Amino acid sequence: MTSIWEPVIGLEVHAQLLTASKMFCGCRAQYLGMAPNSNTCPVCLGLPGTLPVINQVAVQLTIRTALALNCEIPEFSKFDRKNYFYPDLPKGYQISQFDLPLSLNGLLEFEVEGRLVRAGITRVHLEEDAGTLHHAGEIQNASFSLVDLNRAGVPLMEIVGEPDLRHPVEAPAYLAALRRTLIYLGVNDGNMEDGSLRCDANVSLRRTGASELGAKVEVKNMNSFRSIQRALDFEVARQTELLDQGQSVAQETRGWSELEQVTVSQRSKEEAQEYRYFPEPDLPPLVISRAYVAELRAALPELPMATRRRLREQYALSEEQARLISETALDAAYFESVVAAGAPPAAAANWQVQNLQALCNAAHISVSGCPVRPELLAELITMVVTDQVSGAVAKEVLAEVFETGARPSAVVLARGLGQVSDTAELERLVAEALAANQKASADYQGGNDRALGSLVGAVMALSRGKANPKAVGQLLRDRLPRK
Amino acid sequence: MAIEHTNLSDPAGIDPKQVARLSRLSRLGLSDDELQRLGSQLGAIVAAVDKLAEADTDRVDPTAQVGGLTNVCRPDVVLEGLSQGDALANAASQEAGLLRVPAIQ
Amino acid sequence: MTLLDRSIVELGRGLRTGEFSSVELTESALADTRTVDGELGAFLRTTAEAAMAQAAKADRQLAEDTGNRSPLLGIPVAYKDVLCTKGVETTAGSRILTGFIPPYSATAIERMEAAGAVGLGKLNCDEFAMGSSNENSAFQTTRNPWATDRVPGGSSGGSAVAVAARMVSAALGTDTGGSIRLPASFCGVVGVKPSYGRVSRYGLIAFASSLDQVGPLTKTVEDAALVLEVIAGLDARDSTSSSAPLGDLRGALKAGVSGLRVGIPKEYLSMEIEPGVRDVFDISVSRLEAAGARLSEVSLPSTEYALAAYYVIAPAEVSSNLARMDGVRFGPGFGSAPNLMAAYESARHLGFGPEVRRRIALGTYVLSSGYYDAYYLRAQKVRTLVSQDFEQVFKEVDCLISPTAPTTAFRIGERLADPLAMYATDLLTLPANLAGVSGMSVPAGFAGGLPVGLQVLAPYMGEATCFQVAATIEEMAQIWQIRPAGHANLESPV
Ligand SMILES: [Mg+2]
Ligand SMILES: [Zn+2]
């Protein structure tokens, strides 16, 4: 695409924090699956006379995230009220942060199409989530709405990105990198479907090379990586067309319609909200000591990009393997445990990424949480590389270990799957196979190498997979000397 | 910095459009008569409050809160809340455990 | 004479010696709420059944000597209706909360109940505590027992009247710009505005969160100390509540004022003050001097801006605090409104009275972009100046004394048409709220047959000094036993 217009995109991400309780009251932060309005108290219902009290862990997790995103942590921070009326907002204001957020000026590095992109993080601040609304059909046409306040007051981190993205394809990559970081930190579960991770985008176009920004359109309602990509593609095309025709782009809020695959105007600038922010008088400010910041910084785990780099270098993994294994910190830790338990890194990577991952995906569980503990996978891999079992048998064994959590050696023993390397037994099987496959024997002796493969296969079949294929090959060659 | 402004307001009242905007923003649903009356009262109050412009507030920090408390937090502990019935007990309109509100648009 | 002419300490003695029971005391108090209150209108609702049960329980505890040594055990009290009471309708004097039954009680009320006080019911007030006369209640006009054509002062007017008319021994009120001290002054009772953070605001339906404080209204200074001791202290549910020790209030009552440095703020006294009020003030000052206090004139130069700052900050917080009154989760609802906007407007238009609407609109205005810096931010800076004035002056003196209000109780209706005249009623009291310092109003005499209260202000968390001075003023004035009934035409006994 060669356009004279350059997209300027920034993302605003809202991430629910994995605390036990809500932001300002003792209700549960995990509300999914509960009966409506059964996870509330006078505080999060916004009943008259009730007051908020800050969840200390929510502050901690936000600073932790901000540090992982290379932000500065100012010494002084406070909460503000963002005032607007909406039925999912019980108090008529959201407790959020306006001019003195917990963190500022960060940076997120991510790769897209093999390129390293560095996008600025404007700020990471802390606020409270709203409740949820249910309607019959689309909100615009529903004759009434129903309000569930189970989610109201869940701690929500807002991560505001600088408008540093220059192509729609960078948006899902940015979000994926951010999501991976949040999961690494254990601050968010990364679930976009359930809305515990949500993303809005600001999109504008400017003449390539220009420095001032065009009219900004805020795009909402994108509930997956795919919808982000499509919504931004659509929006960039829409704005390009307007500008190409000499028209101007209206500054407004637009929603992505999954059904129609278009963005739809929701609110113009004229109707823009006037939030009347002011300092929350019910909450004393926060003074974040340098010692506390240092303590949280020291406790940061290795982050995805670093893990990926290290896996590649330390274990000589391919780029692809390193990327897959570093998807979560737990996956990476699993891999390293398997290696530590004696499996060669290359084999460990293959078995984890291919065989084990497939089993886990089918069962909707994580590698780190599956019954195949790292030492069990290592034991199995060791049995393969020392020719105690064949690869094919090992896959069967893995499936059983995945079901039962039993030791691979015990499974092999119990099911008599041990590889047969005993020469007398193999000689007997080879003799039987040669007797039954005289044509193949002749072909091999006549110079056809592929015939040896089918003979090995025949022996393997007779042994029901237990014969050691290498030993069988050797025996066959010994028995069938070529002229 | 000297005094930045004097009498932003018109003592005779504030702009009726402005009053209507305030009424809309704060969902007061005032009638035209009420807007008129409120406009002139607000004008008088704002004129009195313009006294603030005379105070020398150069190099003065704002006070949002007295008492000087900081870092008042609670431990991240789950506490017993309200049952669905108790949560909805005061609601004028509800349906199937949810609060009911009229069409949003 | 009724039993409730006696102080809390005297009543406690009667209860413990078996002269009368809490049930008898409570029955007689409840009878008064049905007779005396017919004309005065202090109570919005009584909770007779719960009161009798609580009284019976107190009697058992008194008989069994269970170790509850609280001086409030078995004593009839009542609460301003901005304080939530679990299971009992709480309206804040507003139509928009009609039928609201909180599933929790305010911390201050929980503490009163835990101390064994017998709650008789909920007291009238200006709607959401916004007013200086009690005329802004959506439900009824409370009358001043000293002259029933006059206001009791506000916004804790029902609280002051219930105590002044001897229906209860103590009432809880709230003070945002003078709402305890002013009605205390107008009704001839003691009223304490504790330092900001001294008493938990949990369960107090917020007017202006950074200014509101809960405090007692009682007949005597000692009674006020007994109540404050019960309700004060840190509460984990209010992040702005303080753990600062209350100090020895009972000791302060007996300490006298010898050597105490008492300041007279010249800006307060240079305001237009009714001559009769001025007389009471002057006489009290000379008595304090005679008792050994060292009086001096002091200056709080930013006082002239305090009213303006207050009428920016308080409405700004109101506009936000009252946004939750939207008809969705509580309140009378919004009828058959066709859409959400109409529903909100219907609930709030029907629900709020004119003064509340005025303050919401004003608060919305001063927070709007384009006006924020000129009004809200500047008011916050002026608030700093007002606080600095107090800090400075409390280096020179231990406390300040002034009239509580420039006038005695005015006539019902007199200031309704002019919001600014009404706002000026709080000129002498609201600076203390901006700065968060401790304050108190104590009856010191009469003017034209109406009570006059003096205001004592002491540093932040310096309540003990307020009580020290107030106890001396009370002792010298010797008027607390004078009850309003039959004294409507009383000439000043000072
Ligand atoms: Mg946000
Ligand atoms: Zn809650």
Side-chain angles (χ1 to χ4, degrees):
Chain A
M1 184 176 75
T2 55
S3 168
I4 56 166
W5 308 109
E6 176 186 50
V8 176
I9 301 168
L11 299 188
E12 256 179 50
V13 174
H14 283 89
Q16 289 177 347
L17 288 171
L18 288 171
T19 53
S21 65
K22 288 186 180 179
M23 186 61 229
F24 299 115
C25 65
C27 294
R28 283 182 171 74
Q30 314 301 318
Y31 56 87
L32 288 176
M34 297 180 79
N37 295 304
S38 64
N39 183 42
T40 69
C41 71
V43 176
C44 58
L45 281 176
L47 296 187
T50 58
L51 297 168
V53 187
I54 298 168
N55 182 336
Q56 185 244 317
V57 172
V59 173
Q60 183 195 320
L61 296 184
T62 304
I63 297 176
R64 181 175 159 85
T65 305
L67 288 172
L69 296 173
N70 308 293
C71 290
E72 297 159 20
I73 313 295
E75 287 208 43
F76 191 86
S77 182
K78 69 176 169 70
F79 286 94
D80 300 276
R81 290 189 185 175
K82 178 180 182 179
N83 295 284
Y84 64 96
F85 286 89
Y86 210 64
D88 65 6
L89 190 69
K91 300 187 294 297
Y93 57 85
Q94 180 194 35
I95 304 181
S96 181
Q97 298 198 280
F98 183 56
D99 57 340
L100 297 169
L102 277 167
S103 70
L104 291 162
N105 301 333
L107 185 75
L108 176 67
E109 284 187 339
F110 60 98
E111 276 172 29
V112 58
E113 294 167 344
R115 259 179 321 120
L116 185 73
V117 180
R118 297 156 65 89
I121 301 285
T122 314
R123 57 195 274 157
V124 181
H125 76 239
L126 187 51
E127 58 189 30
E128 56 180 338
D129 208 344
T132 45
L133 293 178
H134 303 274
H135 342 265
E138 296 273 305
I139 189 167
Q140 299 89 340
N141 311 320
S143 64
F144 63 90
S145 290
L146 298 170
V147 189
D148 177 6
L149 295 175
N150 283 348
R151 193 180 74 175
V154 166
L156 199 60
M157 202 163 49
E158 182 171 323
I159 303 157
V160 183
E162 286 287 298
D164 285 348
L165 310 184
R166 293 291 172 268
H167 191 282
V169 78
E170 292 177 353
Y174 168 98
L175 184 62
L178 179 57
R179 176 179 180 275
R180 206 177 295 123
T181 302
L182 299 180
I183 295 172
Y184 258 67
L185 294 168
V187 300
N188 175 265
D189 65 13
N191 192 330
M192 294 189 70
E193 212 169 308
D194 293 333
S196 44
L197 185 67
R198 310 195 278 271
C199 178
D200 302 328
N202 291 310
V203 188
S204 63
L205 297 190
R206 66 179 171 200
R207 214 167 266 280
T208 305
S211 57
E212 78 279 18
L213 298 175
K216 194 169 76 176
V217 173
E218 187 176 6
V219 186
K220 291 181 173 290
N221 258 357
M222 304 171 295
N223 300 324
S224 67
F225 286 97
R226 204 180 55 170
S227 62
I228 289 166
Q229 172 88 56
R230 290 193 177 172
L232 296 184
D233 280 340
F234 176 87
E235 191 53 30
V236 167
R238 186 186 71 86
Q239 293 186 21
T240 301
E241 195 177 318
L242 281 174
L243 294 175
D244 281 346
Q245 290 169 358
Q247 300 180 42
S248 61
V249 173
Q251 183 167 332
E252 61 181 344
T253 301
R254 299 178 71 88
W256 171 244
S257 165
E258 200 61 59
L259 204 66
E260 322 241 340
Q261 298 279 299
V262 295
T263 64
V264 184
S265 180
Q266 286 183 336
R267 196 166 60 216
S268 72
K269 193 196 175 191
E270 288 69 51
E271 320 157 36
Q273 304 271 15
E274 157 105 74
Y275 290 123
R276 288 159 287 134
Y277 281 99
F278 76 103
E280 167 56 279
D282 289 328
L283 296 172
L286 296 169
V287 175
I288 310 297
S289 79
R290 298 304 90 185
Y292 184 60
V293 173
E295 189 186 309
L296 292 183
R297 195 190 299 278
L300 280 183
E302 184 178 54
L303 294 168
M305 288 293 268
T307 305
R308 198 156 131 188
R309 206 168 297 136
R310 191 171 56 76
L311 290 181
R312 223 169 43 213
E313 289 164 7
Q314 186 176 339
Y315 300 103
L317 300 188
S318 72
E319 180 61 42
E320 176 72 358
Q321 282 176 325
R323 188 178 65 75
L324 290 169
I325 287 173
S326 63
E327 191 57 35
T328 73
L330 289 171
D331 286 355
Y334 182 93
F335 166 78
E336 299 207 79
S337 302
V338 175
V339 174
N350 274 330
W351 277 87
Q352 180 173 341
V353 165
Q354 289 166 16
N355 308 318
L356 185 57
Q357 190 67 57
L359 290 169
C360 289
N361 290 349
H364 302 289
I365 58 175
S366 65
V367 166
S368 57
C370 84
V372 186
R373 306 305 315 137
E375 58 279 11
L376 302 184
L377 183 62
E379 182 178 303
L380 183 63
I381 291 170
T382 306
M383 291 174 78
V384 176
V385 297
T386 57
D387 290 337
Q388 296 174 63
V389 292
S390 67
V393 166
K395 280 182 201 166
E396 256 178 71
V397 174
L398 181 66
E400 182 161 341
V401 177
F402 187 82
E403 291 302 319
T404 62
R407 290 194 56 167
S409 54
V411 174
V412 168
L413 199 64
R415 292 179 42 188
L417 295 171
Q419 193 146 274
V420 179
S421 302
D422 163 17
T423 315
E425 173 67 2
L426 287 182
E427 297 257 15
R428 193 183 63 73
L429 291 169
V430 164
E432 195 176 327
L434 287 176
N437 294 280
Q438 288 179 1
K439 176 159 187 319
S441 312
D443 286 352
Y444 174 73
Q445 281 181 307
N448 181 352
D449 282 346
R450 286 213 312 240
L452 187 73
S454 72
L455 287 170
V456 172
V459 177
M460 293 305 291
L462 286 172
S463 75
R464 277 173 308 178
K466 296 190 300 183
N468 180 336
K470 270 188 248 164
V472 171
Q474 193 52 52
L475 274 177
L476 285 166
R477 275 191 291 273
D478 292 350
R479 286 297 193 83
L480 302 170
R482 283 168 164 179
K483 280 138 200 155
Chain B
M1 184 177 73
I3 294 165
E4 301 151 352
H5 79 286
T6 47
N7 281 344
L8 271 174
S9 55
D10 168 7
I14 52 178
D15 178 8
K17 268 197 218 141
Q18 174 78 290
V19 185
R21 192 185 66 98
L22 296 176
S23 170
R24 210 169 39 247
L25 260 180
S26 46
R27 307 293 190 268
L28 288 176
L30 299 178
S31 67
D32 289 348
D33 271 8
E34 288 165 330
L35 287 176
Q36 186 92 45
R37 203 161 42 240
L38 183 66
S40 61
Q41 289 170 338
L42 285 185
I45 297 168
V46 169
V49 160
D50 274 335
K51 177 85 180 164
L52 287 174
E54 295 169 20
D56 180 4
T57 53
D58 294 1
R59 292 179 299 277
V60 177
D61 287 330
T63 297
Q65 209 172 61
V66 296
L69 296 172
T70 57
N71 296 356
V72 180
C73 295
R74 61 180 184 85
D76 181 24
V77 172
V78 172
L79 300 172
E80 184 76 28
L82 296 172
S83 69
Q84 186 191 67
D86 286 343
L88 301 179
N90 282 295
S93 182
Q94 51 174 293
E95 193 170 310
L98 293 137
L99 296 153
R100 190 183 155 121
V101 296
I104 285 176
Q105 205 20 266
Chain C
M1 284 291 280
T2 74
L3 282 175
L4 283 163
D5 280 324
R6 305 189 197 180
S7 73
I8 291 175
V9 172
E10 289 165 351
L11 288 174
R13 211 172 293 132
L15 286 170
R16 286 186 168 77
T17 57
E19 183 192 345
F20 47 83
S21 69
S22 176
V23 164
E24 286 163 348
L25 187 58
T26 302
E27 268 172 350
S28 119
L30 282 170
D32 283 350
T33 65
R34 287 186 290 266
T35 54
V36 179
D37 202 41
E39 190 186 4
L40 298 177
F43 278 86
L44 284 174
R45 69 198 68 83
T46 52
T47 48
E49 211 172 301
M52 292 308 294
Q54 174 82 302
K57 186 178 160 200
D59 282 335
R60 281 196 303 277
Q61 287 179 312
L62 286 160
E64 290 161 13
D65 194 15
T66 52
N68 183 347
R69 299 275 97 207
S70 168
L72 301 189
L73 181 59
I75 302 292
V77 301
Y79 309 116
K80 184 179 183 180
D81 204 34
V82 291
L83 292 162
C84 289
T85 35
K86 185 174 180 171
V88 176
E89 188 184 12
T90 301
T91 65
S94 180
R95 225 179 291 285
I96 208 162
L97 284 178
T98 306
F100 172 59
I101 298 178
Y104 49 91
S105 284
T107 298
I109 290 180
E110 275 186 351
R111 291 182 179 180
M112 292 290 280
E113 286 173 350
V118 178
L120 299 194
K122 305 302 288 289
L123 298 164
N124 196 27
C125 56
D126 287 296
E127 183 174 6
F128 290 108
M130 290 174 221
S132 306
S133 67
N134 248 47
E135 291 163 291
N136 295 335
S137 165
F139 304 112
Q140 65 200 37
T141 301
T142 301
R143 294 171 180 277
N144 192 313
W146 296 90
T148 52
D149 60 339
R150 291 182 185 261
V151 301
S155 62
S156 309
S159 302
V161 171
V163 174
R166 276 44 176 172
M167 290 183 275
V168 293
S169 283
L172 294 186
T174 61
D175 191 313
T176 305
S179 279
I180 287 174
R181 288 161 289 164
L182 182 74
S185 177
F186 281 10
C187 293
V189 299
V190 175
V192 182
K193 183 214 91 79
S195 306
Y196 186 78
R198 176 65 87 193
V199 181
S200 169
R201 294 183 296 115
Y202 189 84
L204 157 60
I205 299 174
F207 161 11
S209 313
S210 75
L211 301 162
D212 294 342
Q213 266 299 288
V214 181
L217 295 97
T218 56
K219 286 190 298 292
T220 71
V221 175
E222 182 177 34
D223 287 358
L226 300 180
V227 176
L228 185 59
E229 282 176 345
V230 166
I231 63 174
L234 187 68
D235 177 14
R237 289 177 296 185
D238 175 4
S239 309
T240 63
S241 73
S242 168
S243 61
L246 186 56
D248 180 12
L249 298 188
R250 299 188 204 195
L253 299 173
K254 300 182 204 105
V257 293
S258 179
L260 200 73
R261 299 170 302 167
V262 180
I264 300 171
K266 69 172 185 204
E267 291 81 5
Y268 288 28
L269 273 299
S270 67
M271 289 177 195
E272 212 173 291
I273 290 172
E274 210 173 86
V277 172
R278 179 74 206 216
D279 290 346
V280 172
F281 175 75
D282 289 341
I283 291 168
S284 300
V285 164
S286 47
R287 284 174 178 167
L288 282 173
E289 219 155 15
R294 288 152 48 195
L295 280 115
S296 61
E297 189 182 83
V298 295
S299 174
L300 298 156
S302 298
T303 302
E304 60 172 323
Y305 307 117
L307 183 77
Y310 179 85
Y311 276 98
V312 168
I313 292 169
E317 294 184 13
V318 163
S319 69
S320 177
N321 281 335
L322 267 54
R324 70 185 64 194
M325 313 292 163
D326 61 6
V328 177
R329 287 143 297 126
F330 48 85
F334 24 67
S336 55
N339 61 48
L340 187 67
M341 183 71 171
Y344 282 154
E345 291 193 333
S346 158
R348 291 165 67 81
H349 188 252
L350 295 172
F352 291 141
E355 179 61 27
V356 171
R357 290 182 204 158
R358 199 146 50 222
R359 295 207 197 181
I360 290 174
L362 180 59
T364 304
Y365 180 76
V366 299
L367 288 175
S368 300
S369 58
Y371 301 94
Y372 183 92
D373 286 0
Y375 292 114
Y376 183 74
L377 188 62
R378 190 168 266 272
Q380 281 198 327
K381 291 180 175 180
V382 167
R383 186 173 188 178
T384 305
L385 294 176
V386 171
S387 293
Q388 286 171 351
D389 277 1
F390 278 105
E391 275 166 36
Q392 200 52 44
V393 86
F394 285 132
K395 288 176 186 161
E396 300 162 30
V397 295
D398 301 307
C399 64
L400 300 170
I401 184 169
S402 74
T404 303
T407 67
T408 53
F410 48 88
R411 287 202 162 71
I412 291 169
E414 193 180 303
R415 296 188 190 175
L416 268 185
D418 183 357
L420 282 171
M422 189 69 93
Y423 295 173
T425 311
D426 294 338
L427 273 173
L428 301 172
T429 45
L430 60 83
N433 298 78
L434 288 172
V437 300
S438 52
M440 192 158 172
S441 179
V442 58
F446 293 87
L450 296 168
V452 173
L454 294 191
Q455 171 174 249
V456 184
L457 299 177
Y460 177 66
M461 297 296 159
E463 280 81 353
T465 309
C466 287
F467 279 89
Q468 192 180 343
V469 178
T472 304
I473 292 172
E474 177 183 66
E475 170 150 3
M476 294 184 309
Q478 286 297 327
I479 54 170
W480 77 262
Q481 291 92 343
I482 301 173
R483 63 181 357 254
H487 293 278
N489 297 312
L490 187 83
E491 279 310 309
S492 172
V494 297

